[in-house]
Amino acid sequence: MTRSKVHDFNAPSGWNAMLPPRRPNPPIAGTHRVKYAVVGAGYTGAAAARRLHELDPAGDIVLLDAGTVGEGSSGRNSGFTRPLEFPMELTRANAGRVGKIKPYYEEGFYWLKDIVERHAIECGLVRAGVIRGAATDLGESRIRTAGKVLDELGYEHQILTREEMNERVATRYYRCGLLVTDSYLLQPAALIRGLVDSLPKAIQVHERSMVRKLSRSGTWRLELDGAAVEADFVVLATNAYVKHFGYLVDRTVATYTYAGITEAMTPEDAARCGSMEHWGILPPHKMGTTCRRVGQNRLMVRSLASYEGELRPDVVKAGLTDIFRARWPHLAHVRLEHVWGGATAFTMNGAPWWGKFDEGLYSAGGCNGAGITKGTLLGKRLAELMTGSGEHGGLVEAIGEPSWIAPEPFRRIGYHVIARKERKMAGAER
Ligand SMILES: Cc1cc2nc3c(=O)[nH]c(=O)nc-3n(C[C@H](O)[C@H](O)[C@H](O)COP(=O)(O)OP(=O)(O)OC[C@H]3O[C@@H](n4cnc5c(N)ncnc54)[C@H](O)[C@@H]3O)c2cc1C
């Protein structure tokens, strides 16, 4: 296993590789004095920078990323999103939280959708049939419980039998599924490129610009290779890497998960991928596998997990290939063309962080597997908090805050013990 690194992953993002080349913004050089410095050009940082400019157009903003846009986790994910989020294990006991968070999710999702439409960002955003598919007893029981709760909450959905799933997504692997209609799929690297490239020109964007040190004496000072930035306000939108600045070390760990996209299939094979034009399958267990259709002639699988470092690429490719073939044995000859890993900031109780760390220093992150809408929402709201706009008590109550995680070496040992147990429990959902 290779160790946790800030921006250079073992393999390029397949999503980014499928797009035409993009010229990155130049690295920052020299000394700068700005009002706002936003560190991290993922969904959270891009949203914070955009909203800061909307609310304070006279305040100069610099947006810095250690890597290139599209190669961070915002360009490496599976591209599932929706205006409503509910936990993998939705029960009557936690149904209340779904209602509480709903208006905020809608705010984040529709703000994002509006940006995509206004700037004509070609990221394939499409309303799609997203199914939570169950391959085990446990999965089926979670899905049936969730279906009942969604009924009570009045959310449109449908329980699918094995045959109905087979007809739609061409696999008999799943014994049943929960189809949630109000769901969307998109090309994540195209989205984050579009979000950053459509920022107002007044925002200075610098890529390959890693902030190595953050200190404060009056103003904040950010030190980079061959450059420095003095800022009144700083946003740390670095997700899992917030710990590199000494924050949240007892609240979050970097976990990695992996995805693969097939080669372009022949028209004959592409015709054997189910009747739905756009579909995605989410697991009913956190160690489970996500799958989706990509355009008309490719499929994607996302699975496997590791702690604070990436698995070896050959191990990932072999694991994802087995997972793909188990679901689509009739496509076993189709190769995974792109295979890559990405980092998420895992928190013990699944709650993100959001708010003020210190005078002039703000941060949001920890959106686990739902950062497209949640990261956008939290970045937007962070900018509002910083500029004294809006009321945020309801948001804070709805999202909660990350719980304490034991220090090393207990943390690593605990992670592996829990992961082993969860993997066993997930069984065929993996
Ligand atoms: C394989 C995979 C599948 C996923 N699937 C989904 C999905 O289907 N739907 C969904 O909503 N979410 C999904 N996620 C999660 C989603 O990708 C994250 O929640 C999201 O990327 C978080 O956005 P962010 O902007 O907070 O952080 P990031 O996207 O991680 O961005 C942080 C940025 O900060 C930069 N940075 C870090 N340190 C520094 C520094 N010192 N100086 C300068 N820059 C720095 C990094 O280079 C990076 O670009 C998935 C994640 C993975 C890995």
Side-chain angles (χ1 to χ4, degrees):
M1 187 181 300
T2 53
R3 287 195 53 238
S4 167
K5 294 171 288 187
V6 165
H7 62 94
D8 49 342
F9 292 91
N10 285 344
S13 156
W15 295 110
N16 210 26
M18 290 194 299
L19 294 172
R22 166 184 172 277
R23 192 183 320 158
N25 292 285
I28 193 165
T31 304
H32 300 254
R33 174 75 179 89
V34 294
K35 185 162 181 188
Y36 303 105
V38 180
V39 188
Y43 303 124
T44 307
R50 182 180 296 276
R51 190 69 178 140
L52 280 171
H53 182 73
E54 282 173 2
L55 295 170
D56 184 6
D60 38 6
I61 302 170
V62 66
L63 173 61
L64 304 164
D65 199 282
T68 53
V69 171
E71 281 299 332
S73 290
S74 289
R76 290 177 169 263
N77 59 73
S78 309
F80 286 62
T81 196
R82 55 165 78 121
L84 163 74
E85 191 51 38
F86 54 86
M88 202 164 264
E89 217 179 321
L90 175 64
T91 62
R92 282 205 179 89
N94 59 23
R97 274 207 59 230
V98 177
K100 264 192 195 160
I101 203 146
K102 184 169 181 273
Y104 303 106
Y105 255 89
E106 289 177 347
E107 174 186 327
F109 178 80
Y110 290 110
W111 192 67
L112 179 68
K113 189 162 176 280
D114 180 61
I115 295 167
V116 167
E117 288 165 359
R118 258 188 303 124
H119 294 281
I121 297 175
E122 289 180 16
C123 62
L125 178 68
V126 66
R127 199 160 191 258
V130 170
I131 304 167
R132 204 168 281 280
T136 60
D137 282 346
L138 177 68
E140 178 163 359
S141 118
R142 285 186 177 177
I143 276 174
R144 295 203 181 275
T145 307
K148 285 186 196 136
V149 178
L150 289 180
D151 267 338
E152 288 163 16
L153 293 171
Y155 294 128
E156 203 186 320
H157 67 282
Q158 192 186 341
I159 297 281
L160 303 177
T161 62
R162 192 189 296 272
E163 287 316 319
E164 287 168 333
M165 282 203 68
N166 188 32
E167 191 271 317
R168 287 166 168 80
V169 298
T171 172
R172 303 194 83 260
Y173 190 86
Y174 300 95
R175 51 170 82 181
C176 64
L178 173 71
L179 173 69
V180 177
T181 333
D182 199 11
S183 305
Y184 291 76
L185 291 174
L186 52 82
Q187 214 283 27
L191 174 65
I192 190 60
R193 283 185 180 196
L195 290 173
V196 174
D197 293 343
S198 66
L199 286 170
K201 293 287 165 261
I203 300 175
Q204 296 173 54
V205 182
H206 294 285
E207 297 170 55
R208 296 185 183 129
S209 300
M210 176 154 160
V211 177
R212 299 200 177 271
K213 200 173 158 209
L214 182 63
S215 58
R216 182 164 184 248
S217 62
T219 56
W220 287 94
R221 182 175 169 82
L222 288 69
E223 286 173 39
L224 301 95
D225 296 335
V229 178
E230 298 272 347
D232 297 318
F233 297 94
V234 174
V235 175
L236 287 180
T238 53
N239 209 23
Y241 310 110
V242 71
K243 288 193 301 175
H244 290 224
F245 297 102
Y247 294 98
L248 300 174
V249 280
D250 60 353
R251 305 284 141 157
T252 185
V253 293
T255 58
Y256 288 70
T257 184
Y258 303 86
I261 289 184
T262 66
E263 60 191 331
M265 287 183 272
T266 61
E268 295 72 37
D269 284 338
R272 300 193 295 161
C273 292
S275 64
M276 284 201 297
E277 202 184 342
H278 306 287
W279 57 255
I281 305 173
L282 291 168
H285 191 282
K286 54 175 164 261
M287 287 290 182
T289 293
T290 302
C291 316
R292 63 171 281 193
R293 199 167 182 156
V294 177
Q296 285 315 298
N297 59 2
R298 294 179 195 256
L299 297 180
M300 188 216 82
V301 285
R302 196 271 331 139
S303 199
L304 313 176
S306 56
Y307 175 86
E308 293 278 1
E310 281 194 83
L311 296 172
R312 279 194 353 243
D314 57 321
V315 172
V316 174
K317 188 162 189 176
L320 293 179
T321 301
D322 286 350
I323 285 168
F324 174 72
R325 288 182 177 161
R327 283 159 175 79
W328 290 281
H330 60 285
L331 299 173
H333 55 281
V334 175
R335 252 177 355 106
L336 290 183
E337 183 179 350
H338 303 282
V339 173
W340 68 94
T344 63
F346 169 86
T347 62
M348 201 66 186
N349 58 353
W353 65 88
W354 179 87
K356 189 171 172 176
F357 278 175
D358 198 344
E359 208 47 55
L361 180 65
Y362 295 78
S363 180
C367 300
N368 292 325
I372 298 176
T373 287
K374 217 193 271 184
T376 300
L377 165 73
L378 296 185
K380 169 181 182 282
R381 283 295 190 118
L382 209 52
E384 291 170 7
L385 177 74
M386 291 167 71
T387 51
S389 144
E391 193 285 317
H392 306 287
L395 173 74
V396 170
E397 200 199 324
I399 60 175
E401 56 183 328
S403 52
W404 180 80
I405 308 182
E408 298 290 4
F410 308 105
R411 175 182 301 186
R412 178 175 292 273
I413 296 166
Y415 174 88
H416 288 297
V417 169
I418 294 169
R420 200 173 309 126
K421 188 172 140 240
E422 293 285 346
R423 272 199 299 272
K424 203 162 163 215
M425 207 193 271
E429 309 297 356
R430 295 182 65 218

